[in-house]
Amino acid sequence: MHLARLLAALAIAVVAVGAAHPHELQPGFLELRESGPDRYDVLWKLPSLGEASDVRMPLAPVFPERCRQIGTARTERAGTAWLFAAQLECKGGLAGQALAIEGLEAFTTDVLVRVQHADGGVETHVLKPIQASVTLRAAGDTRRGAGAYLYLGVEHILLGVDHLLFVLGLLLIVRDRWMLLKTVTAFTIAHSITLAVATFGVAKVPAAPLNAAIALSILFLGPEIVRCWRGQTSFTIRHPWVVAFAFGLLHGFGFASGLAQLGLPKGEIPLALLLFNVGVELGQLAFVLTILLLERSFRVLEMHWPRIVERLPGYLVGTLGAFWTIQRVAILLRGVA
């Protein structure tokens, strides 16, 4: 499978080099609750520019001209984000009105917008750099727009370069389709467990040590890939599904960072969790199927590459795993000092 995996790895390398570090989805969150006639309680969660940064992203919600702030906004720090709470008065309400996030086009993050109307209707939208505004639904439209959580799940796995690189490392070790199915299934079950645990608040792992551990899981696969090249064996090579399950528990906490930090209402968490997890699985499945289809294409074309080129995916896994481990351990130690 070397040639197909090569192309997938090179695509990942372009993203990794362009970003200089693995993507960590830290979406913004804008919630508006209609608390009275034409009045809304606003919660704006603004992420930082990085996992170790104190600098706020220069983003700001833009409300219709008919809206004005009542009183003074309250501000507080919450982990790696800032919370802003305020009240708005919008004459005629927000139904059918446009909301936007100023400055979003300059970043790779998203903003989840949740609006709860006085009649009980709830709608959710994802604002992206290429579409930083949305027109809210007209009065009487009760569609929830819960597909936003599905989108966030797909995006989280497809832009999560470190998660994809771990999956790629597993694929470089697995030798047959049955073992591949067991390995991918084990990884899916494991990260689904910890995704649910973290989202419901049963357990929480601090971001800095978690990110270092995820990077270490990628580095761990580097020597195993070399053993495969040499025709050697190990517990990981014989039972890759066990390793996938063990490290999948870590990656699940990483996936949860894209959902748990939003601070969703408890009543909405089960549906959001389900759709987000389905999105993660769809993105992961698309990645694996792309690699398998490319493998078949190159086998049919009977193309041959130099050995050094065929081994580039393995070098990529080990090198980036080592780089991210050093980088994230340094961040961890800086935070402890």
Side-chain angles (χ1 to χ4, degrees):
M1 296 186 183
H2 291 294
L3 298 176
R5 290 166 181 163
L6 167 65
L7 291 185
L10 289 178
I12 293 175
V14 171
V15 177
V17 172
H21 55 76
H23 170 84
E24 292 294 339
L25 182 66
Q26 293 188 25
F29 181 54
L30 176 63
E31 181 181 57
L32 297 101
R33 293 172 175 262
E34 191 171 3
S35 57
D38 299 342
R39 292 207 171 192
Y40 295 84
D41 293 328
V42 179
L43 176 65
W44 168 231
K45 178 175 279 189
L46 178 64
S48 65
L49 283 173
E51 59 190 37
S53 175
D54 289 329
V55 181
R56 306 172 185 174
M57 282 189 178
L59 306 178
V62 179
F63 301 105
E65 292 184 358
R66 62 171 65 180
C67 297
R68 68 179 183 88
Q69 182 175 313
I70 301 174
T72 305
R74 301 184 307 277
T75 304
E76 64 178 278
R77 183 71 184 269
T80 58
W82 284 263
L83 295 181
F84 300 87
Q87 274 199 333
L88 286 183
E89 181 180 45
C90 301
K91 294 182 179 180
L94 288 174
Q97 298 300 305
L99 296 176
I101 302 297
E102 184 179 22
L104 187 59
E105 63 279 356
F107 296 93
T108 58
T109 191
D110 299 324
V111 173
L112 180 68
V113 177
R114 181 182 186 274
V115 182
Q116 182 169 326
H117 300 284
D119 61 2
V122 177
E123 55 181 300
T124 56
H125 305 274
V126 175
L127 301 188
K128 306 176 285 294
I130 60 173
Q131 186 178 351
S133 64
V134 65
T135 299
L136 301 181
R137 298 190 178 97
D141 190 338
T142 58
R143 291 176 296 167
R144 297 180 63 86
Y149 302 118
L150 184 71
Y151 172 87
L152 284 176
V154 173
E155 183 190 59
H156 193 84
I157 182 66
L158 292 183
L159 293 183
V161 182
D162 46 359
H163 300 303
L164 289 184
L165 203 63
F166 180 79
V167 174
L168 177 65
L170 291 173
L171 294 176
L172 290 170
I173 292 173
V174 175
R175 294 303 187 182
D176 62 76
R177 297 294 171 81
W178 168 240
M179 185 59 72
L180 174 61
L181 178 61
K182 287 174 61 177
T183 302
V184 172
T185 301
F187 184 66
T188 296
I189 293 174
H191 71 62
S192 297
I193 291 172
T194 47
L195 172 59
V197 166
T199 303
F200 281 107
V202 177
K204 183 179 180 180
V205 178
L210 173 63
N211 290 334
I214 289 176
L216 188 60
S217 72
I218 301 169
L219 175 59
F220 173 84
L221 295 180
E224 300 300 326
I225 295 171
V226 173
R227 290 190 180 95
C228 283
W229 292 343
R230 295 174 177 174
Q232 300 173 349
T233 187
S234 67
F235 180 85
T236 300
I237 295 173
R238 293 192 303 271
H239 308 288
W241 65 273
V242 177
V243 174
F245 184 86
F247 285 125
L249 295 173
L250 281 175
H251 285 254
F253 282 111
F255 292 144
S257 66
L259 187 61
Q261 292 182 1
L262 294 179
L264 298 173
K266 290 186 178 180
E268 198 162 319
I269 287 179
L271 177 61
L273 174 62
L274 174 63
L275 292 176
F276 185 85
N277 198 39
V278 170
V280 169
E281 302 315 321
L282 289 176
Q284 179 178 284
L285 180 61
F287 176 74
V288 173
L289 288 179
T290 298
I291 291 178
L292 295 179
L293 289 174
L294 287 173
E295 172 206 1
R296 180 172 178 79
S297 298
F298 277 102
R299 188 169 63 243
V300 171
L301 293 173
E302 297 183 349
M303 296 184 65
H304 301 283
W305 294 62
R307 177 174 294 183
I308 185 65
V309 176
E310 290 187 346
R311 290 187 172 180
L312 183 58
Y315 294 138
L316 181 69
V317 171
T319 301
L320 285 181
F323 172 74
W324 289 334
T325 298
I326 295 171
Q327 179 193 56
R328 293 177 173 188
V329 168
I331 291 173
L332 175 61
L333 294 178
R334 188 163 63 243
V336 172

